[in-house]
Every structure is written in C-alpha cells, then in structure tokens.
Amino acid sequence: MKVSAFIIHLKRAEKRGAHVRALMQRLPVAAQIIDAIDAQQLVESEIAAVYSRTSRHFPPYPFLLRTTEIACFLSHRKAWQAIVDGNLDAGLVIEDDVDIDPGFAAQLKLAMETVQPGDYIRFPRWTRGEKGGDVARQDGNAIMQPALPGLGMQMQLIGRDAAIALLAATTRFDRPVDTTLQMRWLHPVRMLSARPITIREIDFNLGGTVVQGKKTLSDKLKREVLRPAYRFLLFFYSKIRC
C-alpha cells in the first residue's frame, strides 16, 4: 500500500519547526511537509474565489469565518491535492501541533489495513460526541463509524478517492473544514474514527494556536448562544439525511 504522511506547517511558525522535524523521524511512514496557506498573505480576491459569506447549505452556519479559518481550510485542501498528485493509496494528513503516543504505530497499522479508497479515518484528540459501531478491531485498537463525526482536524488517514471527492465538494465553502466534513450528505466519503486516543495537541508548548485569534466579549457571548443551536440542527439534520 502506497502511503505518505503530510505535515501541514506554517513556515513563519518557527517554534514548531523543531517539533515537525522530530515528528517526521518518529512517524511509522515516510513524511513530508506541506507549506500551510498563510492567512497574512491571503488577499480579498483569493478569499472571494473560495469562501461564501452567505450559507450555501442547511443548517446555515451562524458565524463569518476568520481569515485564519479560511487559510486552514485551504491548507487541508492542499494536502488532499497532494494525495491525488502523488497517486497514493492514502495519505496521513497531520497538523503541526500534534504529537503521537507509543500506541499510535499499532493503531495506524490497523487503519491502513482497514482503509478503503473512499474512506477518511480520523485520529481524534478526544472521543467527545462520537458514537457508533466498530468496523475493525485488533489488539485493543478499533476503527469505528460514528453517527456524527467529531470536530477537529489534527490527523486523518484519507483514501485517494476520498481526497478526490472532498476536493470536488469544497471548491467553495461557507464554514470551517471540520464542520463541513460533518455534513456527510455533501460528499460520498465514509467517515471513520480510530480508538483509543493516541495523539495529543501540544500547541501551548509550541507558542499557541495560529488559527483561533482573539475574540471580543460580545463575540464570545454570541458564540456561546449560537454554537449549541447550530450543533443541535446539524445533529438533527444528519439523522434525516444520512
């Protein structure tokens, strides 16, 4: 099986560089760096070409995306394209603030034995919100199929056909990449998730996040009200559509 890892790394996030190089040596598959799209370099015409400020799908997304979120989405699309361009069976896409635990290699082995061309296997940092049955299990590791995929884009094993389908479905987008992928009616990809948790997010050890940005008090309050309502609609609609 032809598999490569792609670590999405922002060049100017210099504190993460040493970690990325060390992670590349520790991964059980060959790895290369994908240069992340830099939000500071995006111009309005580039944003307008891919991002719709009005919701394109139901349920409507209640927030405008920050430029960092748009850059994050484009960075993942760049990694998906690398899977296709490399004619890989699958690609392991990793964000640069992720570290792996000792049990990760065995879990990845099961994932590589399980993954089909149209599959997307998440390696989440928590189990919150994901419930479903197993599709594979071996030596304490499992690959399960959640009714509603969880949030977060820390690490994923993505089959070639899944990468092609996700690229086709996201030429324009109206919400962050992780909640877009939760909308399984928008794409034919089988969304799976690995268990137990074998990765960690260590952004606070590497200078903090480069995506979230600062929020005002009013923005925080607005999100506290609207986020649960959006998640309820998403869960309800997914049960109807999927």
Side-chain angles (χ1 to χ4, degrees):
M1 186 177 193
K2 188 178 179 183
V3 178
S4 290
F6 300 96
I7 303 177
I8 299 174
H9 175 55
L10 186 63
K11 282 185 176 180
R12 61 179 170 82
E14 296 179 358
K15 290 184 178 180
R16 301 186 178 201
H19 167 69
V20 168
R21 291 188 290 273
L23 180 61
M24 291 175 71
Q25 297 301 314
R26 294 167 53 217
L27 286 169
V29 294
Q32 58 186 284
I33 293 173
I34 292 284
D35 289 330
I37 303 298
D38 192 339
Q40 294 184 4
Q41 302 298 321
L42 281 177
V43 299
E44 182 56 36
S45 60
E46 293 173 315
I47 293 172
V50 296
Y51 172 52
S52 173
R53 287 181 168 82
T54 57
S55 289
R56 295 165 54 85
H57 309 289
F58 187 87
Y61 191 68
F63 312 111
L64 290 176
L65 294 193
R66 295 182 291 273
T67 306
T68 51
E69 292 175 303
I70 296 169
C72 177
F73 205 132
L74 293 175
S75 297
H76 279 276
R77 280 182 49 85
K78 188 175 180 180
W80 302 340
Q81 188 65 58
I83 295 170
V84 178
D85 292 346
N87 197 29
L88 302 175
D89 295 307
L92 184 67
V93 178
I94 310 167
E95 294 188 336
D96 66 357
D97 58 352
V98 166
D99 204 359
I100 56 175
D101 292 335
F104 172 74
Q107 189 177 75
L108 178 61
K109 180 176 181 292
L110 176 61
M112 290 172 58
E113 292 170 352
T114 303
V115 70
Q116 299 296 312
D119 287 352
Y120 178 110
I121 302 179
R122 303 180 67 246
F123 293 84
R125 60 174 175 164
W126 53 52
T127 60
R128 187 171 67 200
E130 288 191 328
K131 297 179 181 179
D134 292 347
V135 298
R137 177 173 287 275
Q138 185 178 40
D139 298 331
N141 290 299
I143 306 298
M144 52 90 72
Q145 186 168 9
L148 181 67
L151 295 172
M153 298 294 294
Q154 286 76 32
M155 183 187 294
Q156 313 88 40
L157 182 67
I158 306 170
R160 175 180 168 80
D161 289 353
I164 293 171
L166 292 177
L167 286 166
T170 61
T171 54
R172 284 184 63 80
F173 50 85
D174 63 356
R175 62 200 72 200
V177 59
D178 53 355
T179 193
T180 297
L181 297 186
Q182 285 184 308
M183 303 169 72
R184 292 170 296 145
W185 54 93
L186 298 184
H187 57 77
V189 176
R190 184 171 70 152
M191 304 291 291
L192 305 173
S193 192
R195 294 290 186 275
I197 303 303
T198 60
I199 71 163
R200 291 170 286 123
E201 196 173 35
I202 58 170
D203 58 307
F204 288 109
N205 297 333
L206 301 171
T209 179
V210 296
V211 175
Q212 294 298 326
K214 295 182 178 179
K215 303 184 185 75
T216 65
L217 178 59
S218 61
D219 186 47
K220 290 179 180 179
L221 291 174
K222 179 182 177 182
R223 287 177 178 269
E224 287 300 313
V225 173
L226 295 180
R227 186 184 291 114
Y230 171 75
R231 288 178 177 171
F232 172 79
L233 286 174
L234 183 67
F235 176 76
F236 178 75
Y237 199 58
S238 70
K239 291 181 73 69
I240 296 173
R241 294 295 304 269
C242 300

